Tab-separated table of all heavy atoms in Angstrom:
chain	number	residue	atom	x	y	z
A	1	MET	N	-101.064	9.129	-12.668
A	1	MET	CA	-100.558	7.840	-12.212
A	1	MET	C	-101.525	7.235	-11.203
A	1	MET	O	-102.270	7.946	-10.545
A	1	MET	CB	-99.186	8.022	-11.557
A	1	MET	CG	-98.073	8.442	-12.495
A	1	MET	SD	-97.745	7.325	-13.859
A	1	MET	CE	-97.093	5.913	-13.028
A	2	GLN	N	-101.466	5.931	-11.101
A	2	GLN	CA	-102.342	5.211	-10.180
A	2	GLN	C	-101.530	4.658	-9.009
A	2	GLN	O	-100.342	4.368	-9.143
A	2	GLN	CB	-103.011	4.050	-10.904
A	2	GLN	CG	-103.924	4.504	-12.018
A	2	GLN	CD	-104.437	3.345	-12.840
A	2	GLN	OE1	-103.704	2.417	-13.134
A	2	GLN	NE2	-105.705	3.421	-13.196
A	3	CYS	N	-102.219	4.469	-7.879
A	3	CYS	CA	-101.588	3.912	-6.685
A	3	CYS	C	-101.093	2.493	-6.962
A	3	CYS	O	-101.808	1.684	-7.569
A	3	CYS	CB	-102.587	3.903	-5.532
A	3	CYS	SG	-101.976	3.088	-4.032
A	4	TRP	N	-99.894	2.202	-6.497
A	4	TRP	CA	-99.308	0.866	-6.653
A	4	TRP	C	-100.195	-0.207	-6.029
A	4	TRP	O	-100.321	-1.316	-6.540
A	4	TRP	CB	-97.926	0.847	-5.995
A	4	TRP	CG	-97.275	-0.488	-5.980
A	4	TRP	CD1	-97.263	-1.392	-4.952
A	4	TRP	CD2	-96.559	-1.105	-7.042
A	4	TRP	NE1	-96.581	-2.518	-5.306
A	4	TRP	CE2	-96.130	-2.365	-6.596
A	4	TRP	CE3	-96.236	-0.699	-8.337
A	4	TRP	CZ2	-95.392	-3.225	-7.395
A	4	TRP	CZ3	-95.497	-1.562	-9.129
A	4	TRP	CH2	-95.086	-2.807	-8.655
A	5	HIS	N	-100.891	0.130	-4.922
A	5	HIS	CA	-101.642	-0.864	-4.159
A	5	HIS	C	-103.086	-1.051	-4.643
A	5	HIS	O	-103.560	-2.165	-4.749
A	5	HIS	CB	-101.666	-0.478	-2.671
A	5	HIS	CG	-100.303	-0.451	-2.048
A	5	HIS	ND1	-99.652	-1.578	-1.642
A	5	HIS	CD2	-99.465	0.592	-1.785
A	5	HIS	CE1	-98.467	-1.252	-1.146
A	5	HIS	NE2	-98.335	0.061	-1.222
A	6	CYS	N	-103.810	0.059	-4.915
A	6	CYS	CA	-105.253	-0.053	-5.186
A	6	CYS	C	-105.668	0.481	-6.559
A	6	CYS	O	-106.843	0.376	-6.916
A	6	CYS	CB	-106.040	0.673	-4.104
A	6	CYS	SG	-105.788	2.464	-4.107
A	7	GLU	N	-104.751	1.092	-7.290
A	7	GLU	CA	-105.004	1.631	-8.623
A	7	GLU	C	-105.955	2.823	-8.635
A	7	GLU	O	-106.485	3.178	-9.676
A	7	GLU	CB	-105.454	0.526	-9.583
A	7	GLU	CG	-104.381	-0.551	-9.726
A	7	GLU	CD	-104.673	-1.558	-10.828
A	7	GLU	OE1	-105.681	-1.414	-11.527
A	7	GLU	OE2	-103.855	-2.489	-10.991
A	8	GLU	N	-106.193	3.452	-7.458
A	8	GLU	CA	-106.893	4.736	-7.401
A	8	GLU	C	-105.884	5.822	-7.776
A	8	GLU	O	-104.676	5.568	-7.799
A	8	GLU	CB	-107.437	4.982	-5.982
A	8	GLU	CG	-108.567	4.046	-5.591
A	8	GLU	CD	-109.802	4.240	-6.446
A	8	GLU	OE1	-110.160	5.407	-6.708
A	8	GLU	OE2	-110.393	3.226	-6.861
A	9	PRO	N	-106.337	7.053	-8.065
A	9	PRO	CA	-105.377	8.113	-8.403
A	9	PRO	C	-104.332	8.303	-7.292
A	9	PRO	O	-104.671	8.339	-6.117
A	9	PRO	CB	-106.254	9.354	-8.548
A	9	PRO	CG	-107.599	8.806	-8.898
A	9	PRO	CD	-107.720	7.504	-8.178
A	10	ALA	N	-103.076	8.404	-7.669
A	10	ALA	CA	-101.984	8.559	-6.703
A	10	ALA	C	-101.832	10.021	-6.300
A	10	ALA	O	-102.184	10.928	-7.043
A	10	ALA	CB	-100.686	8.034	-7.298
A	11	ARG	N	-101.292	10.246	-5.088
A	11	ARG	CA	-101.070	11.605	-4.581
A	11	ARG	C	-99.594	11.917	-4.409
A	11	ARG	O	-99.223	13.071	-4.252
A	11	ARG	CB	-101.770	11.776	-3.228
A	11	ARG	CG	-103.260	11.597	-3.267
A	11	ARG	CD	-103.955	12.675	-4.079
A	11	ARG	NE	-103.751	13.991	-3.537
A	11	ARG	CZ	-104.604	14.633	-2.762
A	11	ARG	NH1	-105.736	14.075	-2.447
A	11	ARG	NH2	-104.337	15.837	-2.307
A	12	ALA	N	-98.737	10.899	-4.387
A	12	ALA	CA	-97.311	11.131	-4.159
A	12	ALA	C	-96.532	9.917	-4.650
A	12	ALA	O	-97.108	8.873	-4.963
A	12	ALA	CB	-97.055	11.351	-2.670
A	13	SER	N	-95.215	10.087	-4.690
A	13	SER	CA	-94.371	8.940	-5.043
A	13	SER	C	-93.455	8.616	-3.873
A	13	SER	O	-93.057	9.498	-3.102
A	13	SER	CB	-93.567	9.225	-6.305
A	13	SER	OG	-92.663	10.280	-6.081
A	14	CYS	N	-93.115	7.360	-3.747
A	14	CYS	CA	-92.235	6.879	-2.679
A	14	CYS	C	-90.873	7.566	-2.822
A	14	CYS	O	-90.302	7.597	-3.910
A	14	CYS	CB	-92.092	5.364	-2.787
A	14	CYS	SG	-90.936	4.655	-1.604
A	15	SER	N	-90.369	8.082	-1.716
A	15	SER	CA	-89.083	8.785	-1.766
A	15	SER	C	-87.916	7.827	-1.983
A	15	SER	O	-86.815	8.255	-2.299
A	15	SER	CB	-88.864	9.579	-0.486
A	15	SER	OG	-88.761	8.698	0.608
A	16	LEU	N	-88.146	6.533	-1.819
A	16	LEU	CA	-87.070	5.549	-1.949
A	16	LEU	C	-87.065	4.867	-3.307
A	16	LEU	O	-86.014	4.691	-3.910
A	16	LEU	CB	-87.183	4.500	-0.841
A	16	LEU	CG	-87.125	5.065	0.580
A	16	LEU	CD1	-87.442	3.989	1.580
A	16	LEU	CD2	-85.768	5.675	0.836
A	17	CYS	N	-88.216	4.440	-3.798
A	17	CYS	CA	-88.229	3.645	-5.032
A	17	CYS	C	-88.983	4.307	-6.177
A	17	CYS	O	-88.852	3.886	-7.326
A	17	CYS	CB	-88.800	2.260	-4.763
A	17	CYS	SG	-90.582	2.263	-4.470
A	18	GLY	N	-89.838	5.308	-5.883
A	18	GLY	CA	-90.558	6.008	-6.944
A	18	GLY	C	-91.940	5.459	-7.250
A	18	GLY	O	-92.640	6.021	-8.095
A	19	ARG	N	-92.368	4.371	-6.592
A	19	ARG	CA	-93.734	3.890	-6.817
A	19	ARG	C	-94.717	4.979	-6.405
A	19	ARG	O	-94.502	5.692	-5.434
A	19	ARG	CB	-94.013	2.635	-5.984
A	19	ARG	CG	-93.323	1.397	-6.480
A	19	ARG	CD	-93.731	0.215	-5.585
A	19	ARG	NE	-93.217	-1.033	-6.092
A	19	ARG	CZ	-92.156	-1.662	-5.578
A	19	ARG	NH1	-91.522	-1.175	-4.539
A	19	ARG	NH2	-91.743	-2.799	-6.115
A	20	PHE	N	-95.850	5.076	-7.099
A	20	PHE	CA	-96.869	6.057	-6.752
A	20	PHE	C	-97.864	5.438	-5.779
A	20	PHE	O	-98.189	4.261	-5.882
A	20	PHE	CB	-97.593	6.559	-8.008
A	20	PHE	CG	-96.719	7.461	-8.825
A	20	PHE	CD1	-95.938	6.954	-9.862
A	20	PHE	CD2	-96.652	8.811	-8.542
A	20	PHE	CE1	-95.115	7.789	-10.593
A	20	PHE	CE2	-95.835	9.650	-9.274
A	20	PHE	CZ	-95.061	9.135	-10.305
A	21	VAL	N	-98.320	6.270	-4.816
A	21	VAL	CA	-99.265	5.804	-3.803
A	21	VAL	C	-100.346	6.854	-3.557
A	21	VAL	O	-100.129	8.046	-3.748
A	21	VAL	CB	-98.560	5.474	-2.463
A	21	VAL	CG1	-97.755	4.198	-2.564
A	21	VAL	CG2	-97.679	6.612	-2.005
A	22	CYS	N	-101.536	6.380	-3.101
A	22	CYS	CA	-102.635	7.284	-2.751
A	22	CYS	C	-102.536	7.650	-1.266
A	22	CYS	O	-101.670	7.134	-0.557
A	22	CYS	CB	-103.978	6.608	-3.054
A	22	CYS	SG	-104.323	5.198	-1.991
A	23	LYS	N	-103.468	8.506	-0.783
A	23	LYS	CA	-103.427	8.935	0.614
A	23	LYS	C	-103.684	7.783	1.574
A	23	LYS	O	-103.251	7.814	2.709
A	23	LYS	CB	-104.466	10.040	0.863
A	23	LYS	CG	-104.099	11.358	0.237
A	23	LYS	CD	-104.923	12.528	0.734
A	23	LYS	CE	-106.375	12.271	0.831
A	23	LYS	NZ	-107.157	13.464	1.161
A	24	ASP	N	-104.398	6.750	1.128
A	24	ASP	CA	-104.706	5.625	2.016
A	24	ASP	C	-103.562	4.631	2.122
A	24	ASP	O	-103.542	3.813	3.044
A	24	ASP	CB	-105.950	4.884	1.516
A	24	ASP	CG	-107.196	5.728	1.639
A	24	ASP	OD1	-107.224	6.632	2.503
A	24	ASP	OD2	-108.127	5.501	0.846
A	25	HIS	N	-102.640	4.663	1.188
A	25	HIS	CA	-101.605	3.627	1.172
A	25	HIS	C	-100.183	4.122	1.391
A	25	HIS	O	-99.249	3.327	1.328
A	25	HIS	CB	-101.687	2.833	-0.139
A	25	HIS	CG	-102.875	1.923	-0.171
A	25	HIS	ND1	-103.967	2.163	-0.974
A	25	HIS	CD2	-103.150	0.803	0.536
A	25	HIS	CE1	-104.870	1.205	-0.767
A	25	HIS	NE2	-104.387	0.373	0.145
A	26	PHE	N	-99.976	5.412	1.621
A	26	PHE	CA	-98.613	5.846	1.929
A	26	PHE	C	-98.322	5.576	3.396
A	26	PHE	O	-99.233	5.457	4.217
A	26	PHE	CB	-98.407	7.331	1.589
A	26	PHE	CG	-98.704	8.260	2.732
A	26	PHE	CD1	-97.683	8.691	3.562
A	26	PHE	CD2	-99.982	8.695	2.979
A	26	PHE	CE1	-97.942	9.543	4.617
A	26	PHE	CE2	-100.261	9.542	4.022
A	26	PHE	CZ	-99.242	9.968	4.848
A	27	LYS	N	-97.048	5.460	3.732
A	27	LYS	CA	-96.621	5.299	5.120
A	27	LYS	C	-95.539	6.342	5.384
A	27	LYS	O	-94.705	6.582	4.521
A	27	LYS	CB	-96.065	3.894	5.352
A	27	LYS	CG	-97.095	2.799	5.114
A	27	LYS	CD	-96.510	1.443	5.359
A	27	LYS	CE	-97.431	0.285	5.045
A	27	LYS	NZ	-98.827	0.442	5.189
A	28	PRO	N	-95.558	6.983	6.572
A	28	PRO	CA	-94.500	7.950	6.885
A	28	PRO	C	-93.191	7.217	7.174
A	28	PRO	O	-93.206	6.091	7.672
A	28	PRO	CB	-95.025	8.674	8.123
A	28	PRO	CG	-95.974	7.726	8.754
A	28	PRO	CD	-96.553	6.887	7.645
A	29	PHE	N	-92.095	7.861	6.840
A	29	PHE	CA	-90.783	7.246	6.974
A	29	PHE	C	-89.784	8.354	7.268
A	29	PHE	O	-90.002	9.502	6.886
A	29	PHE	CB	-90.442	6.558	5.639
A	29	PHE	CG	-89.215	5.708	5.661
A	29	PHE	CD1	-89.213	4.476	6.275
A	29	PHE	CD2	-88.049	6.141	5.042
A	29	PHE	CE1	-88.091	3.675	6.279
A	29	PHE	CE2	-86.921	5.348	5.042
A	29	PHE	CZ	-86.937	4.114	5.657
A	30	SER	N	-88.719	8.048	7.951
A	30	SER	CA	-87.639	9.020	8.166
A	30	SER	C	-86.462	8.609	7.297
A	30	SER	O	-86.146	7.423	7.196
A	30	SER	CB	-87.226	9.053	9.631
A	30	SER	OG	-88.297	9.522	10.405
A	31	SER	N	-85.843	9.594	6.678
A	31	SER	CA	-84.777	9.287	5.726
A	31	SER	C	-83.629	10.269	5.894
A	31	SER	O	-83.808	11.382	6.382
A	31	SER	CB	-85.353	9.393	4.307
A	31	SER	OG	-84.375	9.086	3.360
A	32	PHE	N	-82.431	9.861	5.502
A	32	PHE	CA	-81.268	10.746	5.497
A	32	PHE	C	-81.133	11.410	4.139
A	32	PHE	O	-81.302	10.765	3.109
A	32	PHE	CB	-79.974	9.962	5.778
A	32	PHE	CG	-79.891	9.442	7.180
A	32	PHE	CD1	-79.941	8.089	7.428
A	32	PHE	CD2	-79.759	10.308	8.245
A	32	PHE	CE1	-79.860	7.601	8.732
A	32	PHE	CE2	-79.686	9.834	9.545
A	32	PHE	CZ	-79.727	8.481	9.788
A	33	LEU	N	-80.834	12.709	4.147
A	33	LEU	CA	-80.513	13.398	2.906
A	33	LEU	C	-79.047	13.208	2.571
A	33	LEU	O	-78.677	12.981	1.438
A	33	LEU	CB	-80.801	14.899	3.024
A	33	LEU	CG	-82.255	15.305	3.075
A	33	LEU	CD1	-82.349	16.806	3.307
A	33	LEU	CD2	-82.943	14.919	1.792
A	34	THR	N	-78.227	13.374	3.600
A	34	THR	CA	-76.790	13.199	3.399
A	34	THR	C	-76.106	12.971	4.744
A	34	THR	O	-76.661	13.316	5.797
A	34	THR	CB	-76.177	14.428	2.683
A	34	THR	OG1	-74.831	14.149	2.352
A	34	THR	CG2	-76.235	15.662	3.556
A	35	ILE	N	-74.953	12.388	4.718
A	35	ILE	CA	-74.119	12.198	5.897
A	35	ILE	C	-72.741	12.735	5.555
A	35	ILE	O	-72.236	12.500	4.459
A	35	ILE	CB	-74.040	10.706	6.289
A	35	ILE	CG1	-75.443	10.194	6.642
A	35	ILE	CG2	-73.081	10.502	7.464
A	35	ILE	CD1	-75.508	8.708	6.909
A	36	PHE	N	-72.158	13.486	6.471
A	36	PHE	CA	-70.859	14.095	6.199
A	36	PHE	C	-70.053	14.186	7.488
A	36	PHE	O	-70.581	13.986	8.580
A	36	PHE	CB	-71.030	15.483	5.577
A	36	PHE	CG	-71.794	16.448	6.448
A	36	PHE	CD1	-71.121	17.330	7.285
A	36	PHE	CD2	-73.173	16.470	6.451
A	36	PHE	CE1	-71.813	18.216	8.097
A	36	PHE	CE2	-73.887	17.340	7.259
A	36	PHE	CZ	-73.208	18.220	8.076
A	37	VAL	N	-68.772	14.506	7.365
A	37	VAL	CA	-67.904	14.685	8.521
A	37	VAL	C	-67.849	16.182	8.821
A	37	VAL	O	-67.441	16.982	7.981
A	37	VAL	CB	-66.495	14.127	8.262
A	37	VAL	CG1	-65.596	14.365	9.468
A	37	VAL	CG2	-66.582	12.631	7.954
A	38	GLY	N	-68.283	16.550	10.044
A	38	GLY	CA	-68.335	17.945	10.430
A	38	GLY	C	-67.152	18.349	11.285
A	38	GLY	O	-66.094	17.698	11.273
A	39	GLU	N	-67.346	19.445	12.068
A	39	GLU	CA	-66.299	19.941	12.956
A	39	GLU	C	-65.816	18.854	13.893
A	39	GLU	O	-66.579	17.966	14.277
A	39	GLU	CB	-66.849	21.095	13.809
A	39	GLU	CG	-66.695	22.443	13.184
A	39	GLU	CD	-67.148	23.532	14.128
A	39	GLU	OE1	-66.769	23.519	15.329
A	39	GLU	OE2	-67.895	24.393	13.660
A	40	ASN	N	-64.559	18.945	14.272
A	40	ASN	CA	-63.932	17.983	15.186
A	40	ASN	C	-64.017	16.549	14.669
A	40	ASN	O	-64.077	15.606	15.444
A	40	ASN	CB	-64.529	18.090	16.591
A	40	ASN	CG	-64.368	19.464	17.189
A	40	ASN	OD1	-63.325	20.096	17.023
A	40	ASN	ND2	-65.398	19.949	17.850
A	41	ASN	N	-64.092	16.418	13.345
A	41	ASN	CA	-64.124	15.094	12.717
A	41	ASN	C	-65.321	14.254	13.191
A	41	ASN	O	-65.240	13.038	13.308
A	41	ASN	CB	-62.805	14.358	12.979
A	41	ASN	CG	-62.417	13.471	11.834
A	41	ASN	OD1	-62.805	13.725	10.691
A	41	ASN	ND2	-61.664	12.439	12.129
A	42	THR	N	-66.455	14.916	13.473
A	42	THR	CA	-67.654	14.240	13.953
A	42	THR	C	-68.606	13.964	12.783
A	42	THR	O	-69.015	14.897	12.094
A	42	THR	CB	-68.392	15.123	14.987
A	42	THR	OG1	-67.488	15.409	16.051
A	42	THR	CG2	-69.629	14.434	15.523
A	43	PRO	N	-68.972	12.703	12.559
A	43	PRO	CA	-69.952	12.402	11.509
A	43	PRO	C	-71.309	13.035	11.855
A	43	PRO	O	-71.786	12.925	12.989
A	43	PRO	CB	-70.043	10.882	11.506
A	43	PRO	CG	-68.809	10.415	12.203
A	43	PRO	CD	-68.462	11.487	13.184
A	44	LYS	N	-71.934	13.680	10.879
A	44	LYS	CA	-73.239	14.306	11.065
A	44	LYS	C	-74.149	13.906	9.911
A	44	LYS	O	-73.679	13.595	8.822
A	44	LYS	CB	-73.115	15.834	11.096
A	44	LYS	CG	-72.325	16.335	12.269
A	44	LYS	CD	-72.302	17.841	12.278
A	44	LYS	CE	-71.611	18.335	13.553
A	44	LYS	NZ	-71.639	19.802	13.628
A	45	ALA	N	-75.477	13.926	10.173
A	45	ALA	CA	-76.444	13.560	9.143
A	45	ALA	C	-77.546	14.611	9.076
A	45	ALA	O	-77.963	15.143	10.104
A	45	ALA	CB	-77.049	12.202	9.451
A	46	LEU	N	-77.999	14.899	7.871
A	46	LEU	CA	-79.199	15.700	7.674
A	46	LEU	C	-80.327	14.718	7.408
A	46	LEU	O	-80.262	13.917	6.475
A	46	LEU	CB	-79.040	16.643	6.488
A	46	LEU	CG	-78.057	17.789	6.677
A	46	LEU	CD1	-77.906	18.577	5.382
A	46	LEU	CD2	-78.534	18.713	7.779
A	47	ALA	N	-81.370	14.753	8.253
A	47	ALA	CA	-82.471	13.798	8.140
A	47	ALA	C	-83.778	14.530	7.871
A	47	ALA	O	-83.920	15.711	8.170
A	47	ALA	CB	-82.583	12.991	9.421
A	48	VAL	N	-84.737	13.813	7.319
A	48	VAL	CA	-86.078	14.339	7.064
A	48	VAL	C	-87.082	13.343	7.625
A	48	VAL	O	-87.010	12.149	7.323
A	48	VAL	CB	-86.339	14.521	5.560
A	48	VAL	CG1	-87.747	15.057	5.323
A	48	VAL	CG2	-85.318	15.442	4.945
A	49	ALA	N	-88.027	13.835	8.461
A	49	ALA	CA	-89.077	12.968	9.000
A	49	ALA	C	-90.318	13.076	8.124
A	49	ALA	O	-90.512	14.055	7.408
A	49	ALA	CB	-89.403	13.380	10.429
A	50	ASN	N	-91.161	12.055	8.182
A	50	ASN	CA	-92.455	12.033	7.483
A	50	ASN	C	-92.345	12.146	5.972
A	50	ASN	O	-93.161	12.803	5.337
A	50	ASN	CB	-93.385	13.125	8.022
A	50	ASN	CG	-93.791	12.850	9.443
A	50	ASN	OD1	-94.045	11.716	9.809
A	50	ASN	ND2	-93.827	13.888	10.260
A	51	VAL	N	-91.349	11.503	5.390
A	51	VAL	CA	-91.305	11.426	3.928
A	51	VAL	C	-92.241	10.297	3.495
A	51	VAL	O	-92.691	9.480	4.300
A	51	VAL	CB	-89.870	11.178	3.391
A	51	VAL	CG1	-88.958	12.324	3.768
A	51	VAL	CG2	-89.321	9.859	3.878
A	52	ILE	N	-92.562	10.256	2.218
A	52	ILE	CA	-93.485	9.246	1.687
A	52	ILE	C	-92.748	7.924	1.475
A	52	ILE	O	-91.688	7.883	0.866
A	52	ILE	CB	-94.066	9.722	0.330
A	52	ILE	CG1	-94.813	11.040	0.483
A	52	ILE	CG2	-94.961	8.642	-0.284
A	52	ILE	CD1	-96.029	10.998	1.366
A	53	TRP	N	-93.336	6.860	1.987
A	53	TRP	CA	-92.830	5.507	1.737
A	53	TRP	C	-93.998	4.655	1.243
A	53	TRP	O	-95.108	4.736	1.770
A	53	TRP	CB	-92.240	4.914	3.019
A	53	TRP	CG	-91.756	3.509	2.882
A	53	TRP	CD1	-91.033	2.984	1.841
A	53	TRP	CD2	-91.971	2.432	3.790
A	53	TRP	NE1	-90.772	1.655	2.059
A	53	TRP	CE2	-91.335	1.284	3.253
A	53	TRP	CE3	-92.618	2.316	5.001
A	53	TRP	CZ2	-91.351	0.047	3.888
A	53	TRP	CZ3	-92.626	1.083	5.641
A	53	TRP	CH2	-91.991	-0.028	5.096
A	54	CYS	N	-93.772	3.858	0.231
A	54	CYS	CA	-94.841	3.044	-0.366
A	54	CYS	C	-95.212	1.843	0.486
A	54	CYS	O	-96.272	1.250	0.307
A	54	CYS	CB	-94.436	2.590	-1.765
A	54	CYS	SG	-93.041	1.431	-1.789
A	55	GLY	N	-94.335	1.432	1.409
A	55	GLY	CA	-94.589	0.248	2.207
A	55	GLY	C	-94.262	-1.039	1.485
A	55	GLY	O	-94.394	-2.123	2.047
A	56	GLU	N	-93.855	-0.951	0.241
A	56	GLU	CA	-93.572	-2.139	-0.559
A	56	GLU	C	-92.061	-2.368	-0.711
A	56	GLU	O	-91.589	-3.496	-0.597
A	56	GLU	CB	-94.209	-1.983	-1.946
A	56	GLU	CG	-94.122	-3.205	-2.812
A	56	GLU	CD	-95.131	-4.270	-2.402
A	56	GLU	OE1	-96.064	-3.965	-1.653
A	56	GLU	OE2	-94.953	-5.417	-2.834
A	57	CYS	N	-91.300	-1.309	-0.951
A	57	CYS	CA	-89.855	-1.478	-1.117
A	57	CYS	C	-89.212	-1.694	0.259
A	57	CYS	O	-89.816	-1.417	1.291
A	57	CYS	CB	-89.245	-0.279	-1.849
A	57	CYS	SG	-89.353	1.284	-0.979
A	58	GLU	N	-88.012	-2.215	0.274
A	58	GLU	CA	-87.389	-2.663	1.523
A	58	GLU	C	-86.019	-2.024	1.714
A	58	GLU	O	-85.002	-2.575	1.286
A	58	GLU	CB	-87.262	-4.187	1.508
A	58	GLU	CG	-88.591	-4.892	1.386
A	58	GLU	CD	-88.457	-6.403	1.249
A	58	GLU	OE1	-87.331	-6.922	1.301
A	58	GLU	OE2	-89.494	-7.038	1.078
A	59	PRO	N	-85.977	-0.847	2.366
A	59	PRO	CA	-84.676	-0.239	2.662
A	59	PRO	C	-83.838	-1.210	3.484
A	59	PRO	O	-84.341	-1.804	4.446
A	59	PRO	CB	-85.030	1.009	3.481
A	59	PRO	CG	-86.479	1.236	3.263
A	59	PRO	CD	-87.093	-0.080	2.898
A	60	GLN	N	-82.597	-1.399	3.109
A	60	GLN	CA	-81.748	-2.375	3.783
A	60	GLN	C	-81.106	-1.755	5.022
A	60	GLN	O	-80.713	-0.587	5.014
A	60	GLN	CB	-80.670	-2.873	2.825
A	60	GLN	CG	-81.250	-3.583	1.602
A	60	GLN	CD	-82.069	-4.803	1.982
A	60	GLN	OE1	-81.525	-5.749	2.541
A	60	GLN	NE2	-83.363	-4.771	1.702
A	61	PRO	N	-80.979	-2.509	6.105
A	61	PRO	CA	-80.463	-1.961	7.353
A	61	PRO	C	-78.951	-1.746	7.361
A	61	PRO	O	-78.441	-1.002	8.191
A	61	PRO	CB	-80.854	-3.007	8.401
A	61	PRO	CG	-80.950	-4.270	7.621
A	61	PRO	CD	-81.429	-3.891	6.248
A	62	GLU	N	-78.239	-2.392	6.470
A	62	GLU	CA	-76.781	-2.304	6.454
A	62	GLU	C	-76.301	-1.887	5.067
A	62	GLU	O	-76.909	-2.277	4.058
A	62	GLU	CB	-76.152	-3.667	6.794
A	62	GLU	CG	-76.490	-4.181	8.172
A	62	GLU	CD	-75.843	-3.368	9.271
A	62	GLU	OE1	-74.743	-2.807	9.032
A	62	GLU	OE2	-76.413	-3.292	10.373
A	63	PRO	N	-75.187	-1.146	4.991
A	63	PRO	CA	-74.615	-0.824	3.694
A	63	PRO	C	-74.133	-2.098	2.986
A	63	PRO	O	-73.804	-3.093	3.641
A	63	PRO	CB	-73.428	0.081	4.012
A	63	PRO	CG	-73.446	0.314	5.462
A	63	PRO	CD	-74.436	-0.587	6.102
A	64	ILE	N	-74.106	-2.057	1.686
A	64	ILE	CA	-73.648	-3.191	0.890
A	64	ILE	C	-72.270	-2.868	0.350
A	64	ILE	O	-72.061	-1.846	-0.323
A	64	ILE	CB	-74.620	-3.462	-0.273
A	64	ILE	CG1	-75.994	-3.824	0.285
A	64	ILE	CG2	-74.090	-4.572	-1.182
A	64	ILE	CD1	-77.085	-3.878	-0.764
A	65	ALA	N	-71.274	-3.727	0.649
A	65	ALA	CA	-69.920	-3.515	0.143
A	65	ALA	C	-69.870	-3.726	-1.364
A	65	ALA	O	-70.518	-4.648	-1.889
A	65	ALA	CB	-68.960	-4.489	0.834
A	66	MET	N	-69.149	-2.850	-2.051
A	66	MET	CA	-69.023	-2.956	-3.521
A	66	MET	C	-67.552	-2.770	-3.896
A	66	MET	O	-67.186	-1.801	-4.585
A	66	MET	CB	-69.898	-1.906	-4.189
A	66	MET	CG	-71.356	-2.062	-3.834
A	66	MET	SD	-72.432	-0.862	-4.605
A	66	MET	CE	-72.507	-1.533	-6.255
A	67	PRO	N	-66.687	-3.695	-3.472
A	67	PRO	CA	-65.254	-3.539	-3.709
A	67	PRO	C	-64.888	-3.549	-5.194
A	67	PRO	O	-63.839	-3.030	-5.558
A	67	PRO	CB	-64.634	-4.739	-2.977
A	67	PRO	CG	-65.738	-5.745	-2.923
A	67	PRO	CD	-67.000	-4.951	-2.797
A	68	GLU	N	-65.756	-4.093	-6.040
A	68	GLU	CA	-65.448	-4.150	-7.469
A	68	GLU	C	-65.420	-2.771	-8.119
A	68	GLU	O	-64.942	-2.618	-9.239
A	68	GLU	CB	-66.442	-5.069	-8.203
A	68	GLU	CG	-67.875	-4.575	-8.198
A	68	GLU	CD	-68.666	-4.978	-6.964
A	68	GLU	OE1	-68.077	-5.450	-5.976
A	68	GLU	OE2	-69.907	-4.800	-6.978
A	69	LEU	N	-65.908	-1.741	-7.419
A	69	LEU	CA	-65.886	-0.386	-7.987
A	69	LEU	C	-64.512	0.254	-7.915
A	69	LEU	O	-64.259	1.260	-8.570
A	69	LEU	CB	-66.910	0.497	-7.282
A	69	LEU	CG	-68.381	0.098	-7.481
A	69	LEU	CD1	-69.282	1.066	-6.743
A	69	LEU	CD2	-68.745	0.038	-8.949
A	70	TYR	N	-63.602	-0.327	-7.103
A	70	TYR	CA	-62.246	0.229	-7.017
A	70	TYR	C	-61.240	-0.691	-7.661
A	70	TYR	O	-61.385	-1.854	-7.717
A	70	TYR	CB	-61.847	0.481	-5.554
A	70	TYR	CG	-62.539	1.682	-4.988
A	70	TYR	CD1	-63.646	1.555	-4.166
A	70	TYR	CD2	-62.085	2.959	-5.287
A	70	TYR	CE1	-64.290	2.662	-3.660
A	70	TYR	CE2	-62.730	4.078	-4.770
A	70	TYR	CZ	-63.830	3.925	-3.965
A	70	TYR	OH	-64.458	5.026	-3.469
B	1	ZN	ZN1	-90.966	2.434	-2.183
């Protein structure tokens, strides 16, 4: 696969959208693996730092309501 940005050979894929990127065009990003309710009813999250991000896709800052699913 080729890098989304420069078309040189890619080294990884974006953890969010799947675009392929080379070493010069990836950006580090922190991401959540999962969020759950733990002891004492406390919300907890498992996070990962330095995952691959293409810099092109746009993670949204707020959840999107989807009431039509119920
Ligand atoms: Zn991406």
Side-chain angles (χ1 to χ4, degrees):
M1 293 301 292
Q2 296 173 320
C3 174
W4 175 263
H5 297 280
C6 66
E7 299 189 2
E8 291 296 317
R11 299 294 299 262
S13 64
C14 176
S15 65
L16 301 172
C17 72
R19 287 182 174 103
F20 288 93
V21 287
C22 67
K23 288 194 316 187
D24 293 335
H25 287 109
F26 91 95
K27 298 180 184 330
F29 188 75
S30 295
S31 181
F32 291 113
L33 289 175
T34 188
I35 298 174
F36 60 95
V37 178
E39 271 185 47
N40 301 320
N41 213 26
T42 302
K44 295 183 174 183
L46 290 175
V48 179
N50 293 321
V51 298
I52 301 297
W53 177 43
C54 67
E56 187 77 15
C57 64
E58 300 175 3
Q60 298 300 297
E62 298 291 330
I64 298 170
M66 300 181 77
E68 65 274 12
L69 295 181
Y70 286 101

